[in-house]
Amino acid sequence: MSTLPDNVRRLVDEIETEIGDDGPAALAIEGGASRAGSTRAATADAGNGTVEAAVRQILTEIGEDPAREGLVGTPDRVHRMYTELTAGYHVDPERLINRAIFDVGYSEMVVVKDIPFYSLCEHHLLPFFGTAAVAYIPRGKVIGLSKIPRVVEMYARRLQVQERLTQQVADFLMDRLAPRGVGVVLEASHLCAVMRGVRKPGTIMTTSAVLGLFRTSDRTRAEFFAHLQRPGPTA
Ligand SMILES: [Zn+2]
């Protein structure tokens, strides 16, 4: 963890901690300091250039000239980009939920929807992106509202298939909150489908994971899907 490049460390800190928290992210914003142990010297040139060399090879393979002006910085940018888009592997779930689970008597459905997410399809390394809706019925414990999009982001910033991403978000909340049930629905557009082959822009893939009451109770599931139909408040 201590050898993460600064750009990745910053992202991980953002996902783990709240803006305004007295955490590493806040410190980094104020003083440009990174987490203890992660010194600039150790992270300035993360990696040994093999990723850059591989990207140059791809550029050559597709008939490009890696030495031309517009491409000279590309291998380095691509390397940094992939480490950022996969920063979710480095997020510590304990830090993410730290101090954000509360004992509350509330036992009705909690729904958070229209959560934007961006992920990378593991088959093509192309983006898929869309929105997530997450719901659960507490059993004595609730999680801070702002944490739910962070949970989605922790799993989205990895190489994924949409089905697994959906299930991981649901399983995480089930494990951590032990609620009476969890429902997660993801709607996403996959560039590997849109840009190549079938070329059907606008094709949306929907996946869902339902656990507990959301699986066993038709009424709970119906209530969840009714929430998803309802337009949100206009901004
Ligand atoms: Zn794909």
Side-chain angles (χ1 to χ4, degrees), residues 65-179:
D65 171 13
R68 76 174 169 86
E69 195 187 1
L71 293 178
V72 166
T74 297
D76 176 55
R77 280 189 295 266
V78 170
H79 184 190
R80 289 168 64 88
M81 180 192 70
Y82 275 114
T83 59
E84 291 170 12
L85 297 184
T86 57
Y89 289 117
H90 307 291
V91 173
D92 178 355
E94 297 303 331
R95 285 170 52 84
L96 192 158
I97 58 172
N98 181 33
R99 289 175 289 144
I101 292 184
F102 309 101
D103 294 326
V104 173
Y106 188 78
S107 59
E108 298 300 320
M109 188 180 296
V110 176
V111 183
V112 182
K113 59 181 191 174
D114 301 324
I115 303 166
F117 73 87
Y118 298 85
S119 191
L120 279 180
C121 139
E122 69 182 19
H123 301 132
H124 303 96
L125 303 187
L126 281 174
F128 68 96
F129 57 94
T131 56
V134 176
Y136 67 100
I137 300 176
R139 190 189 339 239
K141 282 184 193 166
V142 299
I143 186 168
L145 186 65
S146 63
K147 293 295 184 181
I148 290 180
R150 307 298 178 97
V151 173
V152 173
E153 189 173 10
M154 169 173 66
Y155 288 115
R157 279 187 185 266
R158 300 175 185 201
L159 301 188
Q160 280 288 10
V161 296
Q162 187 178 330
E163 294 89 337
R164 186 174 62 226
L165 172 57
T166 311
Q167 192 69 45
Q168 284 175 329
V169 172
D171 288 342
F172 182 85
L173 293 175
M174 201 68 187
D175 286 349
R176 301 292 169 149
L177 298 178

Side-chain angles (χ1 to χ4, degrees), residues 1 17-18 23 27 35 37 39 41 50 52 66 86 92 117 119 139-140 148 154 157 164 179 196 200 229 234:
M1 294 292 278
T17 59
E18 295 295 303
L27 290 173
R35 192 189 287 185
T39 64
T50 53
E52 286 80 354
T86 57
D92 178 355
F117 73 87
S119 191
R139 190 189 339 239
I148 290 180
M154 169 173 66
R157 279 187 185 266
R164 186 174 62 226
R196 49 190 284 287
K200 285 194 176 137
Q229 303 300 320
T234 46

